Amino acid sequence: MNGPLCFLGIEMSPYAVAKTLVVWEMLLQSQEQHHLRSVMQVWFSTTWEEETMEMAKQALANLCQSDEKRHPKVTGLLRHWKDAGKMPLQNARTQWENRSTNERSFVSHFLRKQDRIAMAKYELTGDFGIKPGGNPTCGNIIMLDCPEGTAPLSRDETVFSCLNWAAIASSLYPNTPVIETAENYVTERLSKVAGWARLGRVTLKLVCDDVQNMIESIAASKPWTMSWSNVLDYIDYADFHRLARACSIHGDTLHFGYSMNWPTNVFGVNIIDFPRRDLADFRKKVLENANHCVEMQYTMLGWQKYLRLPPPTNPINTTCSMLEMGQYKTWADYFFGIGRLQGPCEVGNVEHAFGSPLSPTGSCTVSFTWTYDPEIKFNAMPNNYF
Ligand SMILES: C[S@@+](CC[C@H](N)C(=O)[O-])C[C@H]1O[C@@H](n2cnc3c(N)ncnc32)[C@H](O)[C@@H]1O
């Protein structure tokens, strides 16, 4: 195939669109390795070094000068950040502290002292991507200075809600603490994307809208792949299938998506679903088996060298993955059964995520690949669902 990979992002959150535009513009400007640190700080850190402030302000000036047509709320956010003053460090620290509950600390999960220290520092400050020995000088205005009416920062979110723990764990070295390893992982990947972006091998267009308003133009662009993230958690399943089918009406489209909310509608995937006294033995067995499964999983992946066993977390967290394993295929069958009532719908793959042991969200994710094009046939995979 010739020509660039064209990424069209449709997202109803003006904040998500505006922030991504800033990150992309900074990636296009990244000529040197240290610029990638600044991109990483804008994306993840509560605080910035001086050069990050300069680079972000330049990116915002470029974006505000452009005559590209944007959603007024996206333009409003970009202008707000362009005109925002330097945020005092103390302000950033206080906001971060107010968004953390301490209930979700992961410090005690680590076996190595260097990881506990690094994690404690990260949990206390929210600093991420600051160069070794460097000093942050101001708060991240894109994270912490938004116009009235912008949704506040989620509580207890950490970089590990977003980053691939398995990849990070596989590159943990004896003298490199976990946060530094995570920073190296992000820099490496940003470096790849920045290279593709500067060479024009990947192009990005972001639209702030409900995807329901874009059906015709999406279908007209004849997408090969559509990645829905967890949009299906936001709408009725029948409506979702109608929407996805209409976007791929010209055929040849593979769909990817995942659900994070499916357990909220399924009985028996939470240990709390078994409250009766006569089930106490059952609950104990589930917990013991879950601890055993986690131990096998950690040992298989080599995580037992870094993480404590059994995980120091409450029984709901420990057992949910095991209880979900017994139910997720039935739920997926139900979800795709609704799609099949409307026409052809072929499923290639359904997977329950391993989940990051360090993420306060998202360990129950079930993801899938499917198509409505009857001419696309999936090869049978070892873990194939149908
Ligand atoms: C898990 S987040 C993914 C965020 C980001 N778009 C990405 O792909 O990394 C799911 C996102 O779906 C967006 N969303 C949900 N329903 C939508 C819809 N009907 N149209 C456009 N965006 C939608 C929400 O605003 C939310 O940010």
Side-chain angles (χ1 to χ4, degrees), residues 10-13 16 209-212 229-231 234 258 260:
I10 299 158
E11 165 60 69
M12 68 185 187
S13 153
D209 205 341
D210 282 15
V211 65
Q212 289 90 328
S229 69
N230 70 330
V231 169
Y234 291 74
Y258 59 88
M260 298 167 86

Side-chain angles (χ1 to χ4, degrees), residues 36-89:
L36 298 176
R37 272 200 177 275
S38 291
V39 178
M40 180 158 54
Q41 289 172 25
V42 167
W43 196 338
F44 293 114
S45 182
T46 46
T47 59
W48 289 351
E49 288 169 292
E50 204 56 37
E51 51 266 41
T52 302
M53 185 70 172
E54 283 163 26
M55 202 178 163
K57 284 285 183 181
Q58 184 58 55
L60 285 158
N62 297 350
L63 288 165
C64 290
Q65 263 166 22
S66 143
D67 47 19
E68 196 171 309
K69 201 167 168 291
R70 300 198 181 102
H71 189 291
K73 284 196 176 161
V74 173
T75 307
L77 276 159
L78 295 173
R79 289 207 183 121
H80 178 90
W81 292 328
K82 179 177 84 59
D83 297 334
K86 209 166 168 178
M87 173 181 282
L89 265 186

Side-chain angles (χ1 to χ4, degrees), residues 15 19 41-48 81 87 95-96 122 126 139-146 150-153:
Y15 177 83
K19 177 175 173 177
Q41 289 172 25
V42 167
W43 196 338
F44 293 114
S45 182
T46 46
T47 59
W48 289 351
W81 292 328
M87 173 181 282
Q95 287 203 53
W96 178 253
Y122 171 63
N140 178 344
I141 47 172
I142 288 175
M143 187 187 276
L144 303 169
D145 181 350
C146 292
T150 312
L153 200 61

